[in-house]
Amino acid sequence: MAKDYVLVLDIGSSRLRAMTASKGLNNTFIVKGNAEAEYDGYYEGRFLNPDALCDIIKSLLGELDFEVSRKHNKIFIGVPAEFSSVTCTTASVNLGERRKVKQSDIDNLFYSTGEKAKLENVEVVSIDAITFRIDEGHSSINPVGEYANSLSAELSIIYCVKEFIELFNKIVASLGFESVEYISEPLSEGLFVINDEGREDLNMLINVGDLTTNISFVKGNALASLASFSIGGGHITNDLSEAFDITLTEADRLKRQIVLSLRGKNNDFYELTSDFGKIIKIPLITANEVVAARIEILSSAVNQCIQLFSTAYIPYLPVYLTGAGVSAVKGGRDYMAKCLGRNIKYGVPPLPGKDKPQNASMYSLVNTALDKA
């Protein structure tokens, strides 16, 4: 494995994914290998079977043919929103005289903020700038090279609960790694799927996974706010299973047939092949209503997150959808947009052939890891 390759672990709510990749031409990636495995996942901020994580990660490394060595002894781990929190603060520095702002000025600003931000039960994952202000005047995303007497910033501090860090520190140490770096998954997604120009204003990114959904408010190079709740695409599957007394695997196949935009008649059906090879007829109208009802519940929770972020209505708010929880349902995005009363775009990696919302978290983490490597 070449020196410029990175190893990244993406921790989904029901699936672990690992990838080794390096930078290619024109901001593309060269993927050496990727592997994934289903696991018991996490729910409401707790892993359901933490003791199994080490063996699963070890198996993924085996699939990647990755061996820990003196040259390759570091792993990047994505921190899900469920284990994260965001606090915004302001900081400033007097430059002493009017001169060009240096990168070291910003680094010092971040460092002093980080020292003040330390808390007992959480670890600081990153400190990022929502916006900088020059001499209390105009704002800038990157003020390096601009002339100023003073520099102030609105900063976003992303925390991760210590139990998460301690768990994975123990796991990677047992696997022989000497170094681990934790990356915020929601921040990585926001910075990768929304371009620099788009992030000059506030954006909302909705990542619907299997068991959880997280809501990120993204501006500049930072998260202005973050929220998560335990509703995801798996709940749609479970609802279909209960409604029609079918297995979860059958319900998952049915979910992939659903087309929410269809307005069927009473005698219209989805034809589902059962686990035993029999054809089951599922009423189209009822099935669509079951899926729509769950998306309505999810959308209501999203709206509550928006209201908690701002009591004033935000009329212009670009919304991006990532993850497979809703995007895998035909017409799911459009129905959610109707429920929210807002247009929704898919949030996809800007990579040829990989531009699908379910790829956003993995490739966003890889992009951040390569920048940090």
Side-chain angles (χ1 to χ4, degrees):
M1 185 179 291
K3 284 185 178 181
D4 57 350
Y5 274 88
V6 294
L7 169 66
V8 180
L9 179 66
D10 179 17
I11 302 169
S13 58
S14 64
R15 198 175 285 269
L16 293 176
R17 294 185 290 179
M19 182 175 288
T20 48
S22 66
K23 286 186 177 181
L25 298 174
N26 299 321
N27 297 317
T28 59
F29 300 157
I30 300 172
V31 176
K32 180 180 185 294
N34 64 83
E36 62 178 62
E38 292 185 354
Y39 77 123
D40 292 327
Y42 54 81
Y43 189 73
E44 296 184 348
R46 292 188 177 276
F47 286 98
L48 301 180
N49 187 6
D51 293 338
L53 286 169
C54 186
D55 287 340
I56 298 172
I57 294 171
K58 185 177 181 179
S59 176
L60 291 176
L61 297 180
E63 285 187 51
L64 292 175
D65 197 25
F66 182 96
E67 293 186 7
V68 181
S69 65
R70 190 169 54 122
K71 291 183 178 179
H72 306 110
N73 57 16
K74 182 172 183 176
I75 183 171
F76 292 87
I77 297 179
V79 180
E82 193 102 348
F83 300 91
S84 308
S85 60
V86 171
T87 297
C88 293
T89 187
T90 56
S92 60
V93 60
N94 192 323
L95 302 179
E97 59 182 12
R98 187 166 183 80
R99 61 171 174 81
K100 283 186 177 181
V101 177
K102 303 175 183 177
Q103 182 61 48
S104 59
D105 297 320
I106 295 173
D107 294 340
N108 290 336
L109 196 65
F110 284 4
Y111 176 79
S112 61
T113 301
E115 289 299 299
K116 296 174 184 176
K118 291 180 179 178
L119 299 173
E120 185 177 350
N121 297 318
V122 291
E123 296 279 355
V124 175
V125 174
S126 70
I127 298 175
D128 310 283
I130 298 172
T131 187
F132 292 98
R133 195 167 294 280
I134 306 294
D135 296 338
E136 301 302 323
H138 76 276
S139 59
S140 171
I141 291 180
N142 183 11
V144 173
E146 296 193 43
Y147 282 92
N149 290 308
S150 64
L151 179 68
S152 60
E154 185 180 356
L155 300 177
S156 164
I157 305 168
I158 300 179
Y159 292 103
C160 174
V161 295
K162 276 191 176 176
E163 288 88 346
F164 181 96
I165 301 288
E166 291 168 353
L167 172 63
F168 283 94
N169 279 353
K170 183 177 179 181
I171 290 172
V172 298
S174 70
L175 294 173
F177 289 96
E178 295 181 8
S179 178
V180 56
E181 186 165 349
Y182 294 94
I183 302 171
S184 168
E185 179 193 311
L187 175 61
S188 294
E189 274 198 349
L191 298 183
F192 197 46
V193 305
I194 307 170
N195 62 34
D196 292 351
E197 184 179 352
R199 295 197 312 276
E200 290 179 3
D201 296 312
L202 185 71
N203 298 265
M204 183 170 69
L205 194 150
I206 308 170
N207 182 319
V208 186
D210 189 42
L211 300 177
T212 64
T213 293
N214 67 71
I215 311 299
S216 308
F217 293 92
V218 186
K219 186 177 180 181
N221 294 319
L223 298 182
S225 185
L226 177 66
S228 65
F229 50 86
S230 295
I231 304 175
H235 293 80
I236 297 175
T237 307
N238 192 65
D239 292 345
L240 290 170
S241 174
E242 291 183 356
F244 301 109
D245 194 23
I246 55 180
T247 67
L248 287 173
T249 53
E250 290 167 344
D252 188 63
R253 289 199 294 274
L254 173 60
K255 182 172 71 174
R256 296 175 191 283
Q257 290 188 49
I258 299 288
V259 182
L260 286 181
S261 60
L262 288 179
R263 295 186 177 182
K265 300 177 182 178
N266 290 333
N267 59 347
D268 288 335
F269 298 89
Y270 291 111
E271 290 193 349
L272 173 69
T273 303
S274 75
D275 293 340
F276 301 100
K278 293 184 178 180
I279 301 298
I280 306 173
K281 287 190 174 182
I282 304 292
L284 184 148
I285 292 176
T286 308
N288 282 15
E289 287 175 347
V290 169
V291 175
R294 178 56 67 174
I295 293 178
E296 287 170 12
I297 293 171
L298 195 155
S299 300
S300 177
V302 171
N303 266 325
Q304 289 178 41
C305 292
I306 298 173
Q307 291 165 12
L308 287 170
F309 174 73
S310 174
T311 53
Y313 181 76
I314 308 172
Y316 177 71
L317 181 63
V319 181
Y320 296 84
L321 176 66
T322 66
V326 168
S327 63
V329 177
K330 298 179 185 72
R333 177 193 64 170
D334 294 337
Y335 193 75
M336 176 178 272
K338 180 182 177 182
C339 293
L340 295 178
R342 298 177 183 274
N343 293 326
I344 298 178
K345 299 178 182 177
Y346 284 126
V348 300
L351 299 170
K354 307 297 181 184
D355 51 346
K356 298 183 184 303
Q358 58 264 38
N359 291 333
S361 63
M362 183 77 257
Y363 284 97
S364 295
L365 289 172
V366 169
N367 179 66
T368 301
L370 287 169
D371 285 344
K372 289 176 175 288

